[in-house]
Amino acid sequence: DGGITQSPKYLFRKEGQNVTLSCEQNLNHDAMYWYRQDPGQGLRLIYYSQIVNDFQKGDIAEGYSVSREKKESFPLTVTSAQKNPTAFYLCASSARTLLNTEAFFGQGTRLTVV
Amino acid sequence: DQQVKQNSPSLSVQEGRISILNCDYTNSMFDYFLWYKKYPAEGPTFLISISSIKDKNEDGRFTVFLNKSAKHLSLHIVPSQPGDSAVYFCAASVIQAAGNKLTFGGGTRVLVKP
């Protein structure tokens, strides 16, 4: 079945460590996105990529890094520079078309930094 | 500056009655609007969308209304069912050839009482 897979579902890391969240899609979508959700809040855009080997900062990119070496994969690294990394992270993808702008989401990764 | 706002954080409604969720936006460039439903610890799932060339879109029990002059949209769920209990996010985007970024509101938690 086509979809977006995020792994792991739960992740614990010590403060000061970098951690990489995985996101893979087999929908043949060009665009991929990373969002962050904090308790009681909406989704905020961290980074997005419209095509392989290209990505742009979203609204809250500080302390994060990404890569887009393959169309199917868009990993997110939460670095030690991110002041409040504990959150629920959501990856999404969408087709690169004028007509269809619906984004499909993965099941999310809950990152807890202790 | 929050470009998409959902001013009601929660809504409680009796089963069988209508649920009305509201969303306001400030960016006049937005021309595509979506509603997503989200359960705890899961990714959002797409519900319904509307383009700025329309003022209404209906899909089964879900209807979205758009008032461009007021920069306001609403989601009506009729009749409400207990399985509709979830957090609903309004999102907006600017349709462009290179894919789209979704800007989300803060969400409205809906509780449908049996």
Side-chain angles (χ1 to χ4, degrees):
Chain A
D1 284 355
I4 300 177
T5 302
Q6 289 186 242
S7 61
K9 192 167 175 67
Y10 299 95
L11 190 55
F12 295 87
R13 277 295 181 270
K14 290 184 179 179
E15 197 170 337
Q17 286 182 335
N18 291 0
V19 62
T20 297
L21 282 60
S22 168
C23 178
E24 304 278 332
Q25 54 99 359
N26 59 5
L27 298 167
N28 200 33
H29 285 167
D30 284 304
M32 296 187 74
Y33 314 83
W34 274 105
Y35 288 87
R36 166 181 172 145
Q37 186 188 18
D38 292 284
Q41 296 191 32
L43 282 64
R44 293 183 290 167
L45 183 64
I46 304 172
Y47 265 98
Y48 64 104
S49 168
Q50 296 172 347
I51 199 167
V52 175
N53 292 323
D54 184 59
F55 48 82
Q56 289 82 39
K57 292 181 180 180
D59 301 318
I60 55 165
E62 186 176 350
Y64 299 97
S65 65
V66 293
S67 63
R68 187 84 187 278
E69 296 175 2
K70 297 187 300 182
K71 187 175 185 178
E72 303 79 21
S73 178
F74 191 38
L76 172 74
T77 297
V78 184
T79 75
S80 57
Q82 167 50 232
K83 291 182 172 55
N84 295 297
T86 294
F88 189 54
Y89 290 87
L90 287 158
C91 179
S93 71
S94 70
R96 198 173 167 213
T97 160
L98 282 172
L99 297 177
N100 178 2
T101 61
E102 174 190 342
F104 294 84
F105 283 84
Q107 291 299 293
T109 293
R110 182 167 298 284
L111 173 64
T112 303
V113 175
V114 296
Chain B
D1 179 30
Q2 217 174 345
Q3 297 186 66
V4 179
K5 289 185 182 179
Q6 293 175 253
N7 291 318
S8 298
S10 64
L11 172 68
S12 182
V13 64
Q14 206 66 35
E15 181 179 5
R17 305 295 290 270
I18 184 172
S19 295
I20 300 177
L21 291 75
N22 294 303
C23 178
D24 297 294
Y25 61 96
T26 56
N27 187 344
S28 58
M29 296 295 291
F30 287 144
D31 54 9
Y32 196 76
F33 304 89
L34 308 90
W35 285 93
Y36 281 82
K37 177 179 179 179
K38 185 180 181 301
Y39 293 115
E42 293 185 10
T45 54
F46 170 75
L47 265 181
I48 192 169
S49 63
I50 188 167
S51 147
S52 59
I53 62 173
K54 294 185 176 182
D55 55 17
K56 176 182 175 181
N57 188 26
E58 191 172 353
D59 184 1
R61 295 186 298 114
F62 302 93
T63 303
V64 56
F65 296 92
L66 175 63
N67 183 334
K68 283 185 296 182
S69 61
K71 294 192 178 69
H72 176 84
L73 65 154
S74 62
L75 174 69
H76 292 205
I77 307 173
V78 183
S80 300
Q81 299 173 354
D84 295 332
S85 296
V87 177
Y88 290 78
F89 290 99
C90 163
S93 71
V94 179
I95 294 180
Q96 54 187 334
N100 83 92
K101 299 186 299 175
L102 292 177
T103 301
F104 284 84
T108 296
R109 183 177 302 277
V110 173
L111 175 64
V112 181
K113 299 178 181 177

